[in-house]
Amino acid sequence: MAFEQTRGALLRLEEETYHPKNWRPTILALSGSVWNRYHLAEYGYWLAAGRGLLTFAQIVTGDVEDRVQLRERHEVRLRRFIHEHELKAFACVVVEEDLIAGAKALLQCYGIGGVRPNTVLLGWSDDLQRLEQTGRLLRVIRDFRRSLIIIKCAEGRKAWDAPSGTIDVWWNTVNNGSLALLLAHLLRQNREFRRNPIRLMHVVEHESGRAGVTAHLNDIIRNSRIDATVEVIVGTDIPAEIRRHSRGAAVTFLGFEPPNQGEARYFSDLYRKVIEHLDTAILVRGAGDVDLEA
């Protein structure tokens, strides 16, 4: 019965014309050994918020023929982790020659019909030896027109414990800001975050621009029917203002664009200066399929 209901629902979704108001987070978390990166499990689960789908994916590098049994063992362990923590998620393990090839395989083939990942979740990496590979991975995901989420959490935090403070969304572009604000709203649907208010924030260079931007951002939250307050700060050093105003935030959403080839080190240094001072930072790059006013 479950199979027949699922089959019918998938076929109906296949015939539906996509509309932004029906957007739901269908998250593919490139989590690796997620039991060693538990914050990805937490935030993947929280951001899906019971309204989307979450898959933990692990890429095993090497030759497929030599790694079949290893792939099966990893999948069994991943499914066990999901079951033990009651995460309501799926598991997927693939074998490819390297990380980029594995990501391409998942982005092209994982999912069925209208239920394919629209968002890829990654953890922040400080591995200087892999910066260019990470930059290339971000560009590949962008080119496949998937939204991107990169999560960095402070070390030593207690599992499944939402820190106190605000949920700050720093608005930059429409695509990034719309996705970040919607994700902040979904995060707040979890009981752990219901007491964390959302702040929609922006920096302007001159006092003369504050009123107009404030009115525009208030229009966005009113039309999207998201419970948030607006704060517009006057300043010229955006990273410094983010550090100063969001230092005590529970979660801080920041927009970003993948680095161009050869600029991965600059990208890493730029964002590290901001996020190393924050409790939890979530970098967001929207694919343009979210419309808050739809």
Side-chain angles (χ1 to χ4, degrees), residues 27-61:
I27 299 172
L28 180 68
L30 299 183
S31 56
S33 302
V34 70
W35 43 89
N36 296 324
R37 309 174 79 196
Y38 200 80
H39 63 288
L40 296 185
E42 291 176 294
Y43 277 91
Y45 181 82
W46 280 328
L47 292 172
R51 291 166 172 77
L53 297 174
L54 172 63
T55 298
F56 295 115
Q58 184 172 2
I59 299 170
V60 178
T61 57

PDB file of all heavy atoms in Angstrom, residues 27-61:
ATOM      1  N   ILE A  27      17.289  18.385   0.767  1.00  0.00           N
ATOM      2  CA  ILE A  27      18.697  18.616   1.079  1.00  0.00           C
ATOM      3  C   ILE A  27      19.542  17.365   0.863  1.00  0.00           C
ATOM      4  O   ILE A  27      19.227  16.287   1.384  1.00  0.00           O
ATOM      5  CB  ILE A  27      18.845  19.090   2.541  1.00  0.00           C
ATOM      6  CG1 ILE A  27      18.083  20.403   2.749  1.00  0.00           C
ATOM      7  CG2 ILE A  27      20.314  19.269   2.914  1.00  0.00           C
ATOM      8  CD1 ILE A  27      18.015  20.838   4.205  1.00  0.00           C
ATOM      9  N   LEU A  28      20.605  17.526   0.092  1.00  0.00           N
ATOM     10  CA  LEU A  28      21.620  16.493  -0.063  1.00  0.00           C
ATOM     11  C   LEU A  28      22.828  16.938   0.745  1.00  0.00           C
ATOM     12  O   LEU A  28      23.527  17.878   0.372  1.00  0.00           O
ATOM     13  CB  LEU A  28      21.982  16.326  -1.540  1.00  0.00           C
ATOM     14  CG  LEU A  28      23.045  15.281  -1.865  1.00  0.00           C
ATOM     15  CD1 LEU A  28      22.528  13.865  -1.580  1.00  0.00           C
ATOM     16  CD2 LEU A  28      23.482  15.392  -3.324  1.00  0.00           C
ATOM     17  N   ALA A  29      23.051  16.302   1.883  1.00  0.00           N
ATOM     18  CA  ALA A  29      24.161  16.668   2.766  1.00  0.00           C
ATOM     19  C   ALA A  29      25.383  15.828   2.406  1.00  0.00           C
ATOM     20  O   ALA A  29      25.380  14.602   2.610  1.00  0.00           O
ATOM     21  CB  ALA A  29      23.778  16.444   4.225  1.00  0.00           C
ATOM     22  N   LEU A  30      26.400  16.468   1.862  1.00  0.00           N
ATOM     23  CA  LEU A  30      27.653  15.765   1.587  1.00  0.00           C
ATOM     24  C   LEU A  30      28.411  15.682   2.900  1.00  0.00           C
ATOM     25  O   LEU A  30      29.329  16.449   3.186  1.00  0.00           O
ATOM     26  CB  LEU A  30      28.451  16.509   0.514  1.00  0.00           C
ATOM     27  CG  LEU A  30      27.771  16.642  -0.851  1.00  0.00           C
ATOM     28  CD1 LEU A  30      28.701  17.326  -1.845  1.00  0.00           C
ATOM     29  CD2 LEU A  30      27.325  15.287  -1.386  1.00  0.00           C
ATOM     30  N   SER A  31      27.987  14.728   3.701  1.00  0.00           N
ATOM     31  CA  SER A  31      28.371  14.693   5.110  1.00  0.00           C
ATOM     32  C   SER A  31      29.585  13.837   5.404  1.00  0.00           C
ATOM     33  O   SER A  31      30.127  13.886   6.509  1.00  0.00           O
ATOM     34  CB  SER A  31      27.186  14.173   5.942  1.00  0.00           C
ATOM     35  OG  SER A  31      26.768  12.908   5.454  1.00  0.00           O
ATOM     36  N   GLY A  32      30.008  13.021   4.422  1.00  0.00           N
ATOM     37  CA  GLY A  32      31.102  12.109   4.718  1.00  0.00           C
ATOM     38  C   GLY A  32      30.724  11.193   5.862  1.00  0.00           C
ATOM     39  O   GLY A  32      29.596  10.701   5.947  1.00  0.00           O
ATOM     40  N   SER A  33      31.649  10.955   6.764  1.00  0.00           N
ATOM     41  CA  SER A  33      31.351  10.166   7.969  1.00  0.00           C
ATOM     42  C   SER A  33      30.610  11.065   8.945  1.00  0.00           C
ATOM     43  O   SER A  33      31.212  11.693   9.823  1.00  0.00           O
ATOM     44  CB  SER A  33      32.661   9.640   8.585  1.00  0.00           C
ATOM     45  OG  SER A  33      33.376   8.854   7.655  1.00  0.00           O
ATOM     46  N   VAL A  34      29.307  11.130   8.808  1.00  0.00           N
ATOM     47  CA  VAL A  34      28.508  12.120   9.534  1.00  0.00           C
ATOM     48  C   VAL A  34      28.585  11.930  11.043  1.00  0.00           C
ATOM     49  O   VAL A  34      28.399  12.876  11.801  1.00  0.00           O
ATOM     50  CB  VAL A  34      27.042  12.087   9.046  1.00  0.00           C
ATOM     51  CG1 VAL A  34      26.349  10.805   9.479  1.00  0.00           C
ATOM     52  CG2 VAL A  34      26.281  13.314   9.513  1.00  0.00           C
ATOM     53  N   TRP A  35      28.890  10.714  11.499  1.00  0.00           N
ATOM     54  CA  TRP A  35      29.025  10.480  12.940  1.00  0.00           C
ATOM     55  C   TRP A  35      30.215  11.239  13.518  1.00  0.00           C
ATOM     56  O   TRP A  35      30.292  11.440  14.725  1.00  0.00           O
ATOM     57  CB  TRP A  35      29.163   8.982  13.221  1.00  0.00           C
ATOM     58  CG  TRP A  35      30.071   8.259  12.279  1.00  0.00           C
ATOM     59  CD1 TRP A  35      31.415   8.078  12.405  1.00  0.00           C
ATOM     60  CD2 TRP A  35      29.691   7.643  11.040  1.00  0.00           C
ATOM     61  NE1 TRP A  35      31.908   7.394  11.323  1.00  0.00           N
ATOM     62  CE2 TRP A  35      30.878   7.098  10.470  1.00  0.00           C
ATOM     63  CE3 TRP A  35      28.487   7.494  10.357  1.00  0.00           C
ATOM     64  CZ2 TRP A  35      30.865   6.412   9.262  1.00  0.00           C
ATOM     65  CZ3 TRP A  35      28.496   6.811   9.152  1.00  0.00           C
ATOM     66  CH2 TRP A  35      29.666   6.287   8.621  1.00  0.00           C
ATOM     67  N   ASN A  36      31.147  11.683  12.659  1.00  0.00           N
ATOM     68  CA  ASN A  36      32.255  12.526  13.099  1.00  0.00           C
ATOM     69  C   ASN A  36      32.007  14.006  12.828  1.00  0.00           C
ATOM     70  O   ASN A  36      32.826  14.851  13.181  1.00  0.00           O
ATOM     71  CB  ASN A  36      33.553  12.109  12.388  1.00  0.00           C
ATOM     72  CG  ASN A  36      33.975  10.697  12.767  1.00  0.00           C
ATOM     73  OD1 ASN A  36      33.804  10.284  13.909  1.00  0.00           O
ATOM     74  ND2 ASN A  36      34.517   9.966  11.810  1.00  0.00           N
ATOM     75  N   ARG A  37      30.879  14.324  12.183  1.00  0.00           N
ATOM     76  CA  ARG A  37      30.533  15.715  11.861  1.00  0.00           C
ATOM     77  C   ARG A  37      29.076  15.921  12.254  1.00  0.00           C
ATOM     78  O   ARG A  37      28.217  16.207  11.434  1.00  0.00           O
ATOM     79  CB  ARG A  37      30.760  15.985  10.373  1.00  0.00           C
ATOM     80  CG  ARG A  37      32.134  15.561   9.884  1.00  0.00           C
ATOM     81  CD  ARG A  37      32.242  15.721   8.385  1.00  0.00           C
ATOM     82  NE  ARG A  37      32.468  17.103   8.001  1.00  0.00           N
ATOM     83  CZ  ARG A  37      32.293  17.547   6.752  1.00  0.00           C
ATOM     84  NH1 ARG A  37      31.861  16.737   5.804  1.00  0.00           N
ATOM     85  NH2 ARG A  37      32.526  18.816   6.463  1.00  0.00           N
ATOM     86  N   TYR A  38      28.844  15.773  13.536  1.00  0.00           N
ATOM     87  CA  TYR A  38      27.476  15.668  14.021  1.00  0.00           C
ATOM     88  C   TYR A  38      26.670  16.946  13.776  1.00  0.00           C
ATOM     89  O   TYR A  38      25.442  16.898  13.637  1.00  0.00           O
ATOM     90  CB  TYR A  38      27.476  15.331  15.520  1.00  0.00           C
ATOM     91  CG  TYR A  38      26.168  14.745  15.982  1.00  0.00           C
ATOM     92  CD1 TYR A  38      25.879  13.404  15.770  1.00  0.00           C
ATOM     93  CD2 TYR A  38      25.211  15.546  16.604  1.00  0.00           C
ATOM     94  CE1 TYR A  38      24.676  12.863  16.179  1.00  0.00           C
ATOM     95  CE2 TYR A  38      24.007  15.012  17.006  1.00  0.00           C
ATOM     96  CZ  TYR A  38      23.741  13.666  16.797  1.00  0.00           C
ATOM     97  OH  TYR A  38      22.536  13.143  17.184  1.00  0.00           O
ATOM     98  N   HIS A  39      27.337  18.108  13.718  1.00  0.00           N
ATOM     99  CA  HIS A  39      26.609  19.353  13.486  1.00  0.00           C
ATOM    100  C   HIS A  39      25.907  19.363  12.139  1.00  0.00           C
ATOM    101  O   HIS A  39      24.870  20.007  11.970  1.00  0.00           O
ATOM    102  CB  HIS A  39      27.550  20.558  13.604  1.00  0.00           C
ATOM    103  CG  HIS A  39      28.642  20.586  12.579  1.00  0.00           C
ATOM    104  ND1 HIS A  39      29.714  19.718  12.602  1.00  0.00           N
ATOM    105  CD2 HIS A  39      28.822  21.382  11.493  1.00  0.00           C
ATOM    106  CE1 HIS A  39      30.512  19.981  11.589  1.00  0.00           C
ATOM    107  NE2 HIS A  39      29.988  20.980  10.891  1.00  0.00           N
ATOM    108  N   LEU A  40      26.444  18.606  11.155  1.00  0.00           N
ATOM    109  CA  LEU A  40      25.771  18.534   9.859  1.00  0.00           C
ATOM    110  C   LEU A  40      24.471  17.745   9.966  1.00  0.00           C
ATOM    111  O   LEU A  40      23.477  18.079   9.306  1.00  0.00           O
ATOM    112  CB  LEU A  40      26.694  17.884   8.820  1.00  0.00           C
ATOM    113  CG  LEU A  40      27.975  18.635   8.483  1.00  0.00           C
ATOM    114  CD1 LEU A  40      28.721  17.934   7.358  1.00  0.00           C
ATOM    115  CD2 LEU A  40      27.674  20.082   8.104  1.00  0.00           C
ATOM    116  N   ALA A  41      24.480  16.711  10.812  1.00  0.00           N
ATOM    117  CA  ALA A  41      23.250  15.950  11.039  1.00  0.00           C
ATOM    118  C   ALA A  41      22.204  16.827  11.713  1.00  0.00           C
ATOM    119  O   ALA A  41      21.028  16.844  11.326  1.00  0.00           O
ATOM    120  CB  ALA A  41      23.545  14.714  11.889  1.00  0.00           C
ATOM    121  N   GLU A  42      22.625  17.567  12.728  1.00  0.00           N
ATOM    122  CA  GLU A  42      21.697  18.431  13.468  1.00  0.00           C
ATOM    123  C   GLU A  42      21.063  19.478  12.563  1.00  0.00           C
ATOM    124  O   GLU A  42      19.829  19.592  12.477  1.00  0.00           O
ATOM    125  CB  GLU A  42      22.433  19.145  14.597  1.00  0.00           C
ATOM    126  CG  GLU A  42      22.879  18.260  15.728  1.00  0.00           C
ATOM    127  CD  GLU A  42      23.677  19.063  16.731  1.00  0.00           C
ATOM    128  OE1 GLU A  42      24.776  19.537  16.390  1.00  0.00           O
ATOM    129  OE2 GLU A  42      23.175  19.240  17.854  1.00  0.00           O
ATOM    130  N   TYR A  43      21.904  20.258  11.911  1.00  0.00           N
ATOM    131  CA  TYR A  43      21.361  21.371  11.136  1.00  0.00           C
ATOM    132  C   TYR A  43      20.682  20.911   9.855  1.00  0.00           C
ATOM    133  O   TYR A  43      19.733  21.558   9.385  1.00  0.00           O
ATOM    134  CB  TYR A  43      22.440  22.412  10.869  1.00  0.00           C
ATOM    135  CG  TYR A  43      22.591  23.339  12.059  1.00  0.00           C
ATOM    136  CD1 TYR A  43      23.501  23.062  13.069  1.00  0.00           C
ATOM    137  CD2 TYR A  43      21.777  24.462  12.192  1.00  0.00           C
ATOM    138  CE1 TYR A  43      23.614  23.891  14.182  1.00  0.00           C
ATOM    139  CE2 TYR A  43      21.889  25.293  13.305  1.00  0.00           C
ATOM    140  CZ  TYR A  43      22.799  24.997  14.290  1.00  0.00           C
ATOM    141  OH  TYR A  43      22.895  25.811  15.401  1.00  0.00           O
ATOM    142  N   GLY A  44      21.130  19.810   9.271  1.00  0.00           N
ATOM    143  CA  GLY A  44      20.391  19.250   8.144  1.00  0.00           C
ATOM    144  C   GLY A  44      18.984  18.874   8.554  1.00  0.00           C
ATOM    145  O   GLY A  44      18.001  19.183   7.867  1.00  0.00           O
ATOM    146  N   TYR A  45      18.866  18.237   9.720  1.00  0.00           N
ATOM    147  CA  TYR A  45      17.560  17.841  10.249  1.00  0.00           C
ATOM    148  C   TYR A  45      16.719  19.062  10.597  1.00  0.00           C
ATOM    149  O   TYR A  45      15.531  19.141  10.264  1.00  0.00           O
ATOM    150  CB  TYR A  45      17.771  16.968  11.489  1.00  0.00           C
ATOM    151  CG  TYR A  45      16.494  16.459  12.119  1.00  0.00           C
ATOM    152  CD1 TYR A  45      15.855  15.337  11.615  1.00  0.00           C
ATOM    153  CD2 TYR A  45      15.944  17.111  13.222  1.00  0.00           C
ATOM    154  CE1 TYR A  45      14.689  14.866  12.197  1.00  0.00           C
ATOM    155  CE2 TYR A  45      14.777  16.640  13.809  1.00  0.00           C
ATOM    156  CZ  TYR A  45      14.156  15.522  13.291  1.00  0.00           C
ATOM    157  OH  TYR A  45      12.995  15.064  13.867  1.00  0.00           O
ATOM    158  N   TRP A  46      17.317  20.048  11.247  1.00  0.00           N
ATOM    159  CA  TRP A  46      16.574  21.251  11.649  1.00  0.00           C
ATOM    160  C   TRP A  46      16.122  22.058  10.439  1.00  0.00           C
ATOM    161  O   TRP A  46      15.012  22.588  10.420  1.00  0.00           O
ATOM    162  CB  TRP A  46      17.432  22.121  12.562  1.00  0.00           C
ATOM    163  CG  TRP A  46      17.471  21.670  13.991  1.00  0.00           C
ATOM    164  CD1 TRP A  46      16.476  21.045  14.686  1.00  0.00           C
ATOM    165  CD2 TRP A  46      18.555  21.825  14.918  1.00  0.00           C
ATOM    166  NE1 TRP A  46      16.870  20.803  15.975  1.00  0.00           N
ATOM    167  CE2 TRP A  46      18.137  21.273  16.156  1.00  0.00           C
ATOM    168  CE3 TRP A  46      19.827  22.379  14.833  1.00  0.00           C
ATOM    169  CZ2 TRP A  46      18.947  21.259  17.285  1.00  0.00           C
ATOM    170  CZ3 TRP A  46      20.643  22.362  15.947  1.00  0.00           C
ATOM    171  CH2 TRP A  46      20.203  21.806  17.168  1.00  0.00           C
ATOM    172  N   LEU A  47      16.950  22.182   9.417  1.00  0.00           N
ATOM    173  CA  LEU A  47      16.596  22.994   8.256  1.00  0.00           C
ATOM    174  C   LEU A  47      15.530  22.326   7.402  1.00  0.00           C
ATOM    175  O   LEU A  47      14.723  23.015   6.753  1.00  0.00           O
ATOM    176  CB  LEU A  47      17.838  23.293   7.416  1.00  0.00           C
ATOM    177  CG  LEU A  47      18.858  24.227   8.078  1.00  0.00           C
ATOM    178  CD1 LEU A  47      20.134  24.297   7.259  1.00  0.00           C
ATOM    179  CD2 LEU A  47      18.285  25.632   8.272  1.00  0.00           C
ATOM    180  N   ALA A  48      15.510  21.003   7.389  1.00  0.00           N
ATOM    181  CA  ALA A  48      14.412  20.312   6.701  1.00  0.00           C
ATOM    182  C   ALA A  48      13.110  20.533   7.452  1.00  0.00           C
ATOM    183  O   ALA A  48      12.029  20.604   6.850  1.00  0.00           O
ATOM    184  CB  ALA A  48      14.719  18.820   6.582  1.00  0.00           C
ATOM    185  N   ALA A  49      13.178  20.630   8.777  1.00  0.00           N
ATOM    186  CA  ALA A  49      12.078  21.071   9.646  1.00  0.00           C
ATOM    187  C   ALA A  49      10.784  20.301   9.446  1.00  0.00           C
ATOM    188  O   ALA A  49       9.706  20.834   9.637  1.00  0.00           O
ATOM    189  CB  ALA A  49      11.820  22.571   9.440  1.00  0.00           C
ATOM    190  N   GLY A  50      10.903  19.024   9.068  1.00  0.00           N
ATOM    191  CA  GLY A  50       9.695  18.231   8.880  1.00  0.00           C
ATOM    192  C   GLY A  50       8.910  18.611   7.644  1.00  0.00           C
ATOM    193  O   GLY A  50       7.829  18.062   7.398  1.00  0.00           O
ATOM    194  N   ARG A  51       9.426  19.531   6.829  1.00  0.00           N
ATOM    195  CA  ARG A  51       8.726  19.986   5.632  1.00  0.00           C
ATOM    196  C   ARG A  51       9.476  19.645   4.355  1.00  0.00           C
ATOM    197  O   ARG A  51       8.982  19.892   3.257  1.00  0.00           O
ATOM    198  CB  ARG A  51       8.506  21.504   5.711  1.00  0.00           C
ATOM    199  CG  ARG A  51       7.503  21.906   6.775  1.00  0.00           C
ATOM    200  CD  ARG A  51       7.566  23.394   7.052  1.00  0.00           C
ATOM    201  NE  ARG A  51       6.488  23.826   7.928  1.00  0.00           N
ATOM    202  CZ  ARG A  51       6.452  23.649   9.240  1.00  0.00           C
ATOM    203  NH1 ARG A  51       7.462  23.014   9.831  1.00  0.00           N
ATOM    204  NH2 ARG A  51       5.440  24.071   9.970  1.00  0.00           N
ATOM    205  N   GLY A  52      10.656  19.103   4.499  1.00  0.00           N
ATOM    206  CA  GLY A  52      11.452  18.756   3.336  1.00  0.00           C
ATOM    207  C   GLY A  52      12.014  17.349   3.477  1.00  0.00           C
ATOM    208  O   GLY A  52      11.581  16.568   4.322  1.00  0.00           O
ATOM    209  N   LEU A  53      12.992  17.041   2.646  1.00  0.00           N
ATOM    210  CA  LEU A  53      13.642  15.734   2.672  1.00  0.00           C
ATOM    211  C   LEU A  53      15.136  15.927   2.884  1.00  0.00           C
ATOM    212  O   LEU A  53      15.729  16.891   2.393  1.00  0.00           O
ATOM    213  CB  LEU A  53      13.398  14.986   1.357  1.00  0.00           C
ATOM    214  CG  LEU A  53      11.942  14.631   1.032  1.00  0.00           C
ATOM    215  CD1 LEU A  53      11.849  14.028  -0.363  1.00  0.00           C
ATOM    216  CD2 LEU A  53      11.373  13.668   2.070  1.00  0.00           C
ATOM    217  N   LEU A  54      15.728  15.012   3.598  1.00  0.00           N
ATOM    218  CA  LEU A  54      17.149  15.091   3.933  1.00  0.00           C
ATOM    219  C   LEU A  54      17.823  13.776   3.592  1.00  0.00           C
ATOM    220  O   LEU A  54      17.344  12.700   3.977  1.00  0.00           O
ATOM    221  CB  LEU A  54      17.324  15.395   5.427  1.00  0.00           C
ATOM    222  CG  LEU A  54      18.738  15.338   6.000  1.00  0.00           C
ATOM    223  CD1 LEU A  54      19.632  16.389   5.356  1.00  0.00           C
ATOM    224  CD2 LEU A  54      18.697  15.522   7.528  1.00  0.00           C
ATOM    225  N   THR A  55      18.929  13.857   2.873  1.00  0.00           N
ATOM    226  CA  THR A  55      19.736  12.687   2.551  1.00  0.00           C
ATOM    227  C   THR A  55      21.172  12.940   2.988  1.00  0.00           C
ATOM    228  O   THR A  55      21.743  13.989   2.672  1.00  0.00           O
ATOM    229  CB  THR A  55      19.725  12.388   1.040  1.00  0.00           C
ATOM    230  OG1 THR A  55      18.389  12.099   0.620  1.00  0.00           O
ATOM    231  CG2 THR A  55      20.631  11.190   0.720  1.00  0.00           C
ATOM    232  N   PHE A  56      21.734  11.995   3.723  1.00  0.00           N
ATOM    233  CA  PHE A  56      23.157  12.040   4.054  1.00  0.00           C
ATOM    234  C   PHE A  56      23.902  11.224   3.005  1.00  0.00           C
ATOM    235  O   PHE A  56      23.622  10.035   2.824  1.00  0.00           O
ATOM    236  CB  PHE A  56      23.414  11.468   5.445  1.00  0.00           C
ATOM    237  CG  PHE A  56      22.800  12.285   6.545  1.00  0.00           C
ATOM    238  CD1 PHE A  56      21.795  11.763   7.331  1.00  0.00           C
ATOM    239  CD2 PHE A  56      23.224  13.577   6.791  1.00  0.00           C
ATOM    240  CE1 PHE A  56      21.219  12.506   8.345  1.00  0.00           C
ATOM    241  CE2 PHE A  56      22.652  14.340   7.786  1.00  0.00           C
ATOM    242  CZ  PHE A  56      21.646  13.802   8.569  1.00  0.00           C
ATOM    243  N   ALA A  57      24.828  11.875   2.326  1.00  0.00           N
ATOM    244  CA  ALA A  57      25.564  11.219   1.249  1.00  0.00           C
ATOM    245  C   ALA A  57      27.039  11.137   1.593  1.00  0.00           C
ATOM    246  O   ALA A  57      27.619  12.100   2.100  1.00  0.00           O
ATOM    247  CB  ALA A  57      25.368  11.971  -0.064  1.00  0.00           C
ATOM    248  N   GLN A  58      27.619  10.003   1.304  1.00  0.00           N
ATOM    249  CA  GLN A  58      29.049   9.811   1.534  1.00  0.00           C
ATOM    250  C   GLN A  58      29.690   9.379   0.225  1.00  0.00           C
ATOM    251  O   GLN A  58      29.176   8.500  -0.482  1.00  0.00           O
ATOM    252  CB  GLN A  58      29.288   8.750   2.606  1.00  0.00           C
ATOM    253  CG  GLN A  58      30.749   8.564   2.969  1.00  0.00           C
ATOM    254  CD  GLN A  58      30.936   7.651   4.171  1.00  0.00           C
ATOM    255  OE1 GLN A  58      29.971   7.123   4.703  1.00  0.00           O
ATOM    256  NE2 GLN A  58      32.166   7.467   4.598  1.00  0.00           N
ATOM    257  N   ILE A  59      30.809  10.011  -0.112  1.00  0.00           N
ATOM    258  CA  ILE A  59      31.539   9.673  -1.328  1.00  0.00           C
ATOM    259  C   ILE A  59      32.797   8.906  -0.938  1.00  0.00           C
ATOM    260  O   ILE A  59      33.661   9.437  -0.234  1.00  0.00           O
ATOM    261  CB  ILE A  59      31.902  10.937  -2.122  1.00  0.00           C
ATOM    262  CG1 ILE A  59      30.631  11.690  -2.532  1.00  0.00           C
ATOM    263  CG2 ILE A  59      32.744  10.584  -3.354  1.00  0.00           C
ATOM    264  CD1 ILE A  59      30.899  13.070  -3.103  1.00  0.00           C
ATOM    265  N   VAL A  60      32.877   7.658  -1.368  1.00  0.00           N
ATOM    266  CA  VAL A  60      34.052   6.822  -1.136  1.00  0.00           C
ATOM    267  C   VAL A  60      34.928   6.915  -2.374  1.00  0.00           C
ATOM    268  O   VAL A  60      34.455   6.656  -3.492  1.00  0.00           O
ATOM    269  CB  VAL A  60      33.650   5.357  -0.867  1.00  0.00           C
ATOM    270  CG1 VAL A  60      34.901   4.492  -0.683  1.00  0.00           C
ATOM    271  CG2 VAL A  60      32.741   5.267   0.353  1.00  0.00           C
ATOM    272  N   THR A  61      36.184   7.313  -2.212  1.00  0.00           N
ATOM    273  CA  THR A  61      37.055   7.472  -3.372  1.00  0.00           C
ATOM    274  C   THR A  61      37.818   6.194  -3.655  1.00  0.00           C
ATOM    275  O   THR A  61      38.235   5.475  -2.744  1.00  0.00           O
ATOM    276  CB  THR A  61      38.045   8.627  -3.145  1.00  0.00           C
ATOM    277  OG1 THR A  61      38.800   8.386  -1.959  1.00  0.00           O
ATOM    278  CG2 THR A  61      37.309   9.945  -2.993  1.00  0.00           C
TER     279      THR A  61
END
